[in-house]
Amino acid sequence: MNSAAGKRRPPTAQQFVLEELRRAITSGELRPGDQIRQDALAARLDVSRVPLREALKSLEAEGLVVHHVHRGYFVAELSLADLEEIYRIRELLEGEAVRSAVARADEGLLDTVEEIQRAVEEAAESGDVTEMAAANRRFHFALIEASGMPRLIRLVATLWDSTDAYRSLYYAEAGHRDLAVREHRAVIAALRDGDADTAVRRLDEHRTHAVAALREVLDLR
């Protein structure tokens, strides 16, 4: 695991390790079920075990890693039933958020999502899975945060965090990246028309396709 060249190192060792671990998980460098070997990781990142343990505790609280007694930390795995439940809850909450966002008629929202979409498409074309996942998250949360519902936003963020390790599996295939680009464009078209029902329906289809693809991946693991 290598830290990104040219980036400013976070002010504390714990934040540095936390960012590096999260990047490794969301990029697919560490996959669901992989063991996190603390000695090797501490040496590679040139940190002591203390900030590493604190970072792992933070990721455990987010649901990204799990701790097994006498075995150590592992990247969290989700069953297909867990994944489907999380996406179903997201469907309910995000649908409410998008309807609220459209009703609030924030004039800058469309410009924001269109700008983010350009980053999504650049990442999709270049095959940059890490940036694709990050830009995809910015796209969706631009809509969710425009709802003006802070508690709902926090709930959705928790659900997203718990499935971050699976997005790299989805975006690893060019066909999935291309499909996400087209689906985002359909959402933007609905937003441009002020059509909340269609925007929600397009987002529902977007999630359904992701779950179907991940179902196949999980069956193969």
Side-chain angles (χ1 to χ4, degrees):
M1 185 189 310
N2 296 314
S3 59
K7 285 191 175 181
R8 183 177 62 84
R9 183 164 171 150
T12 69
Q14 181 184 338
Q15 289 173 324
F16 168 66
V17 176
L18 186 61
E19 288 185 12
E20 285 299 300
L21 277 170
R22 186 178 284 114
R23 180 200 60 76
I25 292 171
T26 56
S27 70
E29 183 179 337
L30 287 172
R31 296 167 64 89
D34 282 354
Q35 184 173 12
I36 299 171
R37 303 188 182 281
Q38 295 185 52
D39 288 336
L41 182 58
R44 195 176 305 171
L45 297 178
D46 191 25
V47 296
S48 72
R49 291 286 295 273
V50 174
L52 178 55
R53 284 196 298 268
E54 292 304 312
L56 287 168
K57 288 178 182 177
S58 295
L59 291 174
E60 184 179 19
E62 294 176 13
L64 279 178
V65 303
V66 293
H67 182 260
H68 298 297
V69 178
H70 306 309
R71 295 178 61 204
Y73 284 94
F74 294 77
V75 180
E77 289 186 281
L78 292 174
S79 68
L80 180 58
D82 289 335
L83 195 69
E84 290 176 335
E85 180 182 4
I86 289 167
Y87 271 70
R88 173 56 178 155
I89 297 170
R90 277 187 51 200
E91 177 183 333
L92 297 172
L93 295 179
E94 292 178 28
E96 182 66 22
V98 170
R99 292 182 195 282
S100 177
V102 173
R104 287 162 62 90
D106 181 352
E107 293 182 0
L109 177 59
L110 186 58
D111 290 340
T112 298
V113 294
E114 287 179 336
E115 180 179 355
I116 297 170
Q117 177 64 6
R118 286 192 284 273
V120 170
E121 297 191 16
E122 288 174 5
E125 185 175 353
S126 67
D128 187 337
V129 172
T130 302
E131 178 54 29
M132 177 77 180
N136 176 71
R137 183 176 182 124
R138 293 197 302 272
F139 179 92
H140 286 272
F141 274 85
L143 298 174
I144 295 162
E145 290 169 359
S147 69
M149 304 169 73
R151 291 176 179 80
L152 185 150
I153 294 165
R154 289 195 295 271
L155 288 171
V156 174
T158 299
L159 295 170
W160 270 74
D161 290 343
S162 66
T163 56
D164 265 345
Y166 288 83
R167 288 189 183 86
S168 61
L169 300 178
Y170 182 67
Y171 289 131
E173 294 191 20
H176 294 160
R177 296 194 299 272
D178 292 343
L179 177 60
V181 165
R182 295 195 300 272
E183 289 170 340
H184 281 195
R185 288 176 180 171
V187 172
I188 290 173
L191 293 174
R192 191 176 291 115
D193 292 338
D195 187 343
D197 289 341
T198 298
V200 169
R201 186 167 64 252
R202 297 304 187 198
L203 287 166
D204 290 347
E205 293 168 354
H206 184 43
R207 282 185 295 270
T208 297
H209 293 154
V211 170
L214 288 170
R215 183 182 296 116
E216 293 182 6
V217 171
L218 293 172
D219 285 345
L220 291 173
R221 282 177 58 82

